């Protein structure tokens, strides 16, 4: 399985875009790497665009994604996850929030950015 990653600094947040077919193991590894990398970012808000991820994850895998996001990225002030409408389950969001990360899932980019930039 292959995937691509793009990290772009915006004015007040970081944009992370994942595309392709990552396995669950690859996505979890990516989350851990982002946790390390984000320690050096000036911004403490991140938009994770997953709309071009073709892999479909089970509810258990979504839960694990949320747990790992909380473990690796809880130092971030806000994490907006952007997914296609049909993939919104809130499983990863609830798992991340229960474990201390301020995560919210969106299907609209402008809504996600507006939430990220709230004071």
């Amino acid at each position: 399985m292959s995937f691509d990653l793009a990290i772009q600094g915006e004015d007040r947040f970081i944009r992370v875009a994942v595309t392709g077919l990552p396995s669950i193991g690859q996505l979890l590894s990516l989350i851990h790497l982002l946790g390390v990398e984000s320690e050096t970012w000036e911004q403490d808000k991140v938009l994770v665009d997953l709309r071009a991820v073709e892999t479909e994850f089970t509810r258990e895998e979504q839960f694990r994604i949320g747990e790992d996001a909380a473990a690796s990225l809880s130092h971030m002030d806000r994490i907006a996850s952007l997914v296609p409408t049909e993939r919104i389950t809130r499983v990863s969001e609830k798992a991340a929030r229960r474990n201390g990360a301020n995560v919210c899932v969106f299907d609209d980019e402008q809504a996600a950015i507006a939430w990220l930039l709230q004071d």
Side-chain angles (χ1 to χ4, degrees):
M1 297 193 174
S2 67
F3 69 98
D4 288 310
L5 172 70
I7 301 174
Q8 177 181 341
E10 300 285 342
D11 208 17
R12 296 173 53 200
F13 63 93
I14 299 291
R15 178 186 300 268
V16 175
V18 183
T19 59
L21 286 161
S23 68
I24 185 64
Q26 289 172 322
L27 190 59
L28 295 175
S29 293
L30 174 62
I31 290 168
H32 294 286
L33 289 171
L34 286 174
V36 172
E37 179 68 22
S38 62
E39 293 281 353
T40 66
W41 297 345
E42 290 184 26
Q43 295 90 345
D44 62 357
K45 296 170 178 57
V46 62
L47 174 67
V48 182
D49 188 345
L50 302 171
R51 292 177 293 181
V53 170
E54 299 171 48
T55 313
E56 292 192 28
F57 297 104
T58 66
R59 291 181 73 77
E60 292 79 14
E61 290 169 334
Q62 292 172 33
F63 187 82
R64 178 74 190 277
I65 290 166
E67 286 184 321
D68 283 29
S72 296
L73 297 164
S74 61
H75 60 278
M76 301 298 289
D77 181 51
R78 290 178 186 246
I79 304 161
S81 179
L82 192 55
V83 301
T85 303
E86 64 275 8
R87 293 215 179 158
I88 292 181
T89 64
R90 305 267 179 230
V91 172
S92 63
E93 176 182 308
K94 289 176 186 171
R97 285 180 173 266
R98 272 191 219 126
N99 288 284
N102 190 10
V103 174
C104 195
V105 175
F106 296 89
D107 62 354
D108 178 79
E109 185 170 347
Q110 293 309 312
I113 292 171
W115 179 80
L116 277 178
L117 300 181
Q118 287 177 353
D119 287 327

